Amino acid sequence: MKLTPRFTLVFILYALALLLGVGLLAYNSGRDSLRAATISELQSTALEKEAGLKQWVNQNQADITALAGDPFVINQASALLEAAPNSSEFNAAYEAFLGDVRPHLADDRFLEISLIHPETGQVIASTDPNEEGKFKEDRPYFLIGKMNPYVQNLYYSISLQSIAMTAAAPLRTPDHKLVGVLAARLDLDGMNTIINRRTGLHQTDDAYLVNASSFFVTQPRFINDPAVLQRGIHTDDINHCLKEQSGVIETADYRDVPAFVVYHWLADRRLCLVVKLDQAEAYHPIRVFGGTIALISALALLIAAGIAVALARGMTHPILALQNGAARFANGELNLRLDESSPDELGQLAAEFNRMAEALTEQQTHLRRRAERFFNLTLDLLCTINSSGRLLDLNPAWQQILGYTREELRGHLLTALVHPEDRALTASALQAVSSETPGRFESRFRHKDGGYRWLAWVIVGSTQDQILYAAARDVTERRLSEERLRKQAEALERSNKELEQFGYVASHDLQEPLRLVTNYVQLLARRYQNQLDNDADEFISYTLEGTDRMRNLLADLLAYSQVGTSSKEFAPVALEETLKQVASNLQLVIEANSATITHDPLPSVLGDETQMRQLFQNLISNAIKFRGKEPPRIHIGVNKFEERWLIFVRDNGIGIDPKYTEQVFVIFQRLHKPDQYPGTGIGLAIARKIVERHGGQIWVDSESGKGATFYFTLQPVETPTPEVTPSETTKPRSKDTITDRATDLI
Amino acid sequence: MGRGINKIMFLPLSNSCMALRVRWQFFLLVALLVLAACVQAPATSTLIPVTVQLSWTHQAEFAGLYAAQEQGYFKDAGLEVSFVEGGPNVDFIAPVANGTAQFGIAQPADLMLARAEGKPVRTIAVIYKHSPIVFFALADTGITRPQDFVGKRIRTATTVDEILRALMAKVGIRRDQYEPIYLPSDIKQFATGDVPVWSGFVNVFTLQVQRAGYKINIIYPDDYGIHFYGDVLITTDDLIAKNPDLVQRFTQAALKGWTYAVENPESMGKFVQKYEANADPDLESAIMVASIPLVNTGEDFIGWMQPEIWNGMAQTLREQGVLTAPLDVKQVYTMQFLEKIYNK
């Protein structure tokens, strides 16, 4: 989330929490106090109405009592009681009575006033003629009214077909004789006015009386049909009230609307007075207040948001400038510097940034100069190549090596400079270059003078900028000398082959004429021995000796040449076994010379079994042959030498003068006269040829008179094949070197 | 009971781990079953069939009973109530007395006579606290009080006669000073004026006459010391002794129905129509409106009775020579159910 919205959000949330807390607190306390105020208002209304009702009843009772105490009225009643009906006295008293009481109807307090016979309960006289003659003998107001002034609760009058309320008082003469009951039907408007009187402050306030049978006694405001004594009410407040309790309750009113209800049980009237107000209205001010709070809060929040945004902007603007600057700097605008005029931390930050930029720029300039210096200094060709293979930057070495100026080459395809024969290779090598593995190849490039130079390339790619970084070295000289060497090696190989062929052909083909010569000279010697002169015999003998030696020489030569032409596959050879056979072959010589042969445990090697036998035989017989005065002691030992077996044959013979240690391996080279040590001098030459054919080396370490040690190396059987060993790169190379060296030696 | 069952079922199960898991589900199941049984018990298995013998054909006179039925008060009380219509020439006390019906609607006079004859019937609540029987005459006849009946033909009927006699006696008019005549309730005949004074139920025939547009003066016997109850709710001593709970439940539901009828008179038309398809719902509702002051006088609880009234009625009947056999008035009614209902 970005800084500005986050900052704004936090600010607003904080403000919201604050406003919400304060608002709720204010709202709740307002609501509570409003509730308390409403209830106390309802209470006081209820008390006022209760008092009003009581006063109204008392007033009525007092009025009827006063009227019943009027001596004139008592007299008329007494007269009416005494007189016979329809008598003149009766009529006079009747008129007088009505004349006395009728004025009391004027103030609308009483609707009707009747005089009831104290014994029969019959109405003797009434302001309502219809009432006269009726019997009230069972009415409570009559029964109680005979004794005390009494106001009967609201009841339903069948004959009036309406509700009624009647006050009554006994009419007593001064001597306490009951002469009648004065009953007055009350005008209920008075009561209704008291109960229904409203403060005018509210809309949903209501007050009503309910009798002990749960019926309305006054009309509730929100029932349109006549409800008095027709509608029951069974709300919680009434249920409580009719248990003769008073109190306050928050409950649904008769409309099922939540209301505050104050109920008073009027014990003396046995009525329940209820005063109520809808909760919705009671709480209306707090709703309005809540609305105002919400509005103010919203406004405050809006302002807070505005301030927050402005503050955040003020803060983020320089940060954004800084960010922008950093981004531009990163993109290469190195001389970009920020405004550090701001006196606060942001200004410091900008200054710090500028310092860093300065340092970075300096460092980069330094690095670039260094790189440029090296770039210009190096003897190798350096360049960058774009993705389409065109040259970008080149160093001065290009001019020195290929003769072109850098400007001439820049933008040209690299492959355009390549020798036509190498172009395909170069192109595919360039294609294969990746950032992980550098591409290496060598190809010829045209010099400005028209010649070609061999260049060895190393190229790496860069995934970042799609550019190839290339370095090349002029290897023309090496390539030429390699070429030369290759040609020489080829020539040498050829001549070696010819020589070998020649040796074989010579030794083989020369044997035939030699045999012919030998045969005929022997025939000559046999047939003409002693028939010719001594000289002739001597000559013949010399000839025979010569042919003999020649035959030996030819045989050896043939053997020597055959070493190189054997086509036998190399196979494991157990040298222990080979040595055993050799010892057996040489048994006579060994015994004759009293020679002792010891050996280390010998390994198996890879080779030509026959040639191995010959190798050991040649070396051992050589050691016996050049014995000193002591009986020969020969030891065959084994060592590891560079992944090969180094085998040596040590003797205690006459030794070899170190200056001849190389010569002893040359064919037909002899250090001694044949009569001193017989042989053609082929043995060691064959040994060397065998060892070298097996990829090994042979040499001798010796001094005159101190014995000699012949060393040679052989390939072990268990030499792992190049494909499976981890050290594959080293072994073939060492083998190669050895081969190479062998080639050189040939 | 449910708790007991739970214990018995769970003790052996709670030994194993499995049972613990099952336990809640079992508890739930058992609880549901018990709950279902409790809820359903009054609704199906233990609904007690109750028959109410009405004193007339279906009409708004019995509105409170219909209300109790339609509002489900009877059912809530575990009662399956059916109504049996009465009518002309039907003895509607006999079925109650012989147990065919458990409850009945009767006139107090008939009840007291039956009781005096030894039938063990008793009032448990009063429906109409004032007898609906009134006398009326066209306004222009000037007849406004019983004293004016002298020398007049007066329409009477079996249920009316005792009241007529008592009323006349009360105002000191002898039988030979007026001419009682037995007639059906017929507006046309009333309109002819041949019979100037008519009797009728204030909430039925009188109402019909008024609704027909005739201006009439109504003379209430109640105004002249004739305090008769109208319909009362009766049952037998036997049922009260053997199953007071049933009587209590029925009485309470019936009075609740009457309270509903008083408070919702406009609904009674359609209730009546459910029992009497030919009824005019407007008229029936109007009857109920007219009946409200009879049922709810504003002085007592609905159904409440006063001994003086019973004594007064018995006395009146004796004075009229209707009731001749000895009768202990206290056996005619009982307050035990009303007192329980209203906690008095």
Side-chain angles (χ1 to χ4, degrees), chain A residues 168-275:
Chain A
L171 288 162
R172 290 182 195 278
T173 57
D175 54 353
H176 290 287
K177 188 187 170 217
L178 186 67
V179 290
V181 172
L182 196 64
R185 190 151 60 83
L186 304 184
D187 185 348
L188 295 174
D189 287 352
M191 180 181 77
N192 288 333
T193 306
I194 290 164
I195 300 301
N196 295 337
R197 187 192 300 134
R198 296 169 58 207
T199 57
L201 298 173
H202 301 297
Q203 303 291 321
T204 61
D205 57 324
D206 198 0
Y208 40 86
L209 290 169
V210 175
N211 72 9
S213 309
S214 310
F215 282 92
F216 282 110
V217 165
T218 59
Q219 181 75 24
R221 275 180 64 209
F222 299 105
I223 294 179
N224 292 326
D225 303 328
V228 176
L229 295 189
Q230 294 197 23
R231 296 281 164 167
I233 172 167
H234 307 283
T235 51
D236 289 345
D237 46 315
I238 295 299
N239 293 339
H240 283 117
C241 196
L242 294 186
K243 285 176 191 149
E244 311 195 352
Q245 294 165 348
S246 296
V248 184
I249 191 169
E250 286 174 50
T251 183
D253 70 357
Y254 53 84
R255 297 172 299 159
D256 226 14
V257 175
F260 289 113
V261 183
V262 168
Y263 53 92
H264 281 197
W265 173 247
L266 312 180
D268 49 350
R269 291 277 99 211
R270 299 199 60 74
L271 290 174
C272 183
L273 170 67
V274 172
V275 180

Side-chain angles (χ1 to χ4, degrees), chain A residues 28 62 103 277 480 557 589-590 613 662 686 710:
Chain A
N28 279 340
L277 181 67
L480 289 180
L557 191 62
V589 189
I590 290 165
R613 214 183 303 139
E662 191 56 32
I686 286 176
F710 284 87

Side-chain angles (χ1 to χ4, degrees), chain B residues 71-108:
Chain B
Q71 294 294 109
Y73 302 152
F74 285 139
K75 203 159 261 182
D76 292 345
L79 307 173
E80 179 77 61
V81 172
S82 53
F83 302 117
V84 175
E85 282 186 289
N89 309 317
V90 173
D91 181 353
F92 32 78
I93 290 181
V96 179
N98 66 27
T100 314
Q102 283 72 42
F103 300 96
I105 302 293
Q107 299 304 312

